[in-house]
Amino acid sequence: MRSVLRRLRSQRGASLVEYALAVSLLAVPSLAVLGTAHDAVTSHFVALETAYQEEASGSSTTTPPGPTPPGATTTTTSAPAPTTTTTTTTTAPPPTTTVPPTTTTTTVPPTTTTTTTVPPTTTTTAPPPPTTTTIPGAPAFQSETVYTDGGWLEFELEDGEINLVDYDLERFWRGDLTRNPDGSITVHLWHRWNGQEVWVHAYVDSTGYLIVTVS
């Protein structure tokens, strides 16, 4: 087992040495090529810069194509700058035609207003016919009986005269009758203990009927 490990270690060290030798062999030519390429690229950009400056100052520089190797002689030929001719073209605008607007005139006839005056109409209303009210005659004899808290009373009207013809008072009630100048009768009833009062009024109305009220 140890011999196998030693062999692997020795082979690993040999591989690293071989890789280092291969890299060094490749690096030397690469550096030489990079130096040559650097010189060529530098000469090319210098030539381009010189040509640009001469063109800007009015001269044309002819540069041979391709990079110039180091130590080579460069020949520059200057030619007169070409004459520049500027042509100005003026375009005339198209003619403009203005058409006047069309005017339409419409004549409206005047409006005639006719005013007609209508005379006022007078309406005469005939008076209504007279109204005849027939009042039936009251009977010559009439009788009315009223009931109160103090008792009942009966009145009679005969030949235009009112009389109290009958009555019946409750217990502890008393009464007093008064004949008035217009022919009516007023009866005053009162309770002797609790002071309650009742007024009865009998009279003849305008139609000749006997009316009895209690208050």
Side-chain angles (χ1 to χ4, degrees), residues 157-211:
L157 173 63
E158 186 176 5
D159 297 331
E161 184 178 356
I162 303 173
N163 294 297
L164 177 61
V165 295
D166 197 1
Y167 60 90
D168 184 12
L169 299 181
E170 299 292 338
R171 187 179 180 184
F172 304 120
W173 281 85
R174 295 290 181 268
D176 187 12
L177 184 147
T178 302
R179 184 175 295 275
N180 301 312
D182 59 355
S184 62
I185 294 177
T186 300
V187 178
H188 179 210
L189 303 178
W190 68 92
H191 194 280
R192 290 188 302 174
W193 303 110
N194 58 17
Q196 185 178 356
E197 295 181 338
V198 175
W199 297 85
V200 180
H201 185 59
Y203 64 95
V204 179
D205 63 1
S206 59
T207 61
Y209 282 90
L210 175 64
I211 304 298

Side-chain angles (χ1 to χ4, degrees), residues 27-75:
V28 172
S30 298
L31 292 174
V33 173
L34 289 175
T36 305
H38 173 71
D39 295 338
V41 171
T42 303
S43 301
H44 181 67
F45 277 102
V46 169
L48 290 178
E49 183 179 1
T50 304
Y52 176 75
Q53 293 177 356
E54 291 179 356
E55 184 178 356
S57 63
S59 61
S60 174
T61 304
T62 304
T63 304
T68 304
T73 302
T74 304
T75 304

Side-chain angles (χ1 to χ4, degrees), residues 21-135:
L21 290 175
V23 170
S24 62
L25 291 176
L26 292 175
V28 172
S30 298
L31 292 174
V33 173
L34 289 175
T36 305
H38 173 71
D39 295 338
V41 171
T42 303
S43 301
H44 181 67
F45 277 102
V46 169
L48 290 178
E49 183 179 1
T50 304
Y52 176 75
Q53 293 177 356
E54 291 179 356
E55 184 178 356
S57 63
S59 61
S60 174
T61 304
T62 304
T63 304
T68 304
T73 302
T74 304
T75 304
T76 304
T77 305
S78 300
T83 304
T84 303
T85 304
T86 304
T87 303
T88 304
T89 304
T90 304
T91 303
T96 304
T97 304
T98 304
V99 180
T102 304
T103 304
T104 304
T105 304
T106 304
T107 304
V108 181
T111 304
T112 303
T113 304
T114 304
T115 305
T116 304
T117 304
V118 180
T121 303
T122 303
T123 304
T124 304
T125 304
T131 303
T132 303
T133 303
T134 303
I135 301 176

